[in-house]
Amino acid sequence: MSDAREKTAETDGGEGRPRPSDVGSSDGPPVDEKPYKIIFEANKCFGAGKCAEVSDNWEMDLQTSLARPNSYFISEDDLQENVRAAEVCPAKKDQGCIHVIDRRTDEEIAPDPHGDGTLSVDW
């Protein structure tokens, strides 16, 4: 286990929580191709649509009136627009329900409300 992963496990409290890179589908593309992963708390989304306004990866589902990503695994080229989507999401009292994770380090890049890279998913 790398030092970054050990640090993340320590800052998460190690309370049996999964590593961010293990949440959701684990059968994604190789990390070197798409090093970032989206964790989306769909149950917290209330359909404001701000993510879809700033990112081509996000769209509003007309059947559910909720947002959804076109891809959960993203490359460096798609990073900034997905970070912006996470930052503008007003759900969870402005902490957002879109989380961008660096699969190499298990750190949350956005929205990172705690400022320490730990996952801010509302389990």
Side-chain angles (χ1 to χ4, degrees), residues 20-100:
S21 60
D22 292 339
V23 174
S25 177
S26 60
D27 60 342
V31 173
D32 51 331
E33 285 179 27
K34 301 224 175 175
Y36 303 101
K37 180 178 186 173
I38 303 292
I39 297 177
F40 177 49
E41 295 177 274
N43 61 324
K44 303 291 182 183
C45 178
F46 54 81
K50 295 192 180 287
C51 55
E53 289 176 12
V54 300
S55 174
D56 291 337
N57 189 41
W58 290 86
E59 61 184 44
M60 297 303 294
D61 184 323
L62 297 177
Q63 291 181 334
T64 64
S65 298
L66 301 177
R68 73 170 180 216
N70 292 312
S71 177
Y72 286 94
F73 297 94
I74 58 175
S75 66
E76 194 72 44
D77 293 341
D78 301 318
L79 178 62
Q80 286 309 310
E81 71 178 74
N82 283 280
V83 164
R84 184 74 182 128
E87 292 173 343
V88 301
C89 178
K92 287 175 48 185
K93 299 181 183 168
D94 293 330
Q95 290 188 21
C97 60
I98 298 169
H99 308 274
V100 181

Side-chain angles (χ1 to χ4, degrees), residues 9-23:
E10 289 171 14
T11 58
D12 277 347
E15 299 171 7
R17 295 180 193 158
R19 291 185 329 208
S21 60
D22 292 339
V23 174

Side-chain angles (χ1 to χ4, degrees), residues 98-102 106-113 117-121:
I98 298 169
H99 308 274
V100 181
I101 306 302
D102 187 326
D106 274 333
E107 291 182 335
E108 181 173 69
I109 297 170
D112 193 21
T118 58
L119 186 61
S120 62
V121 169

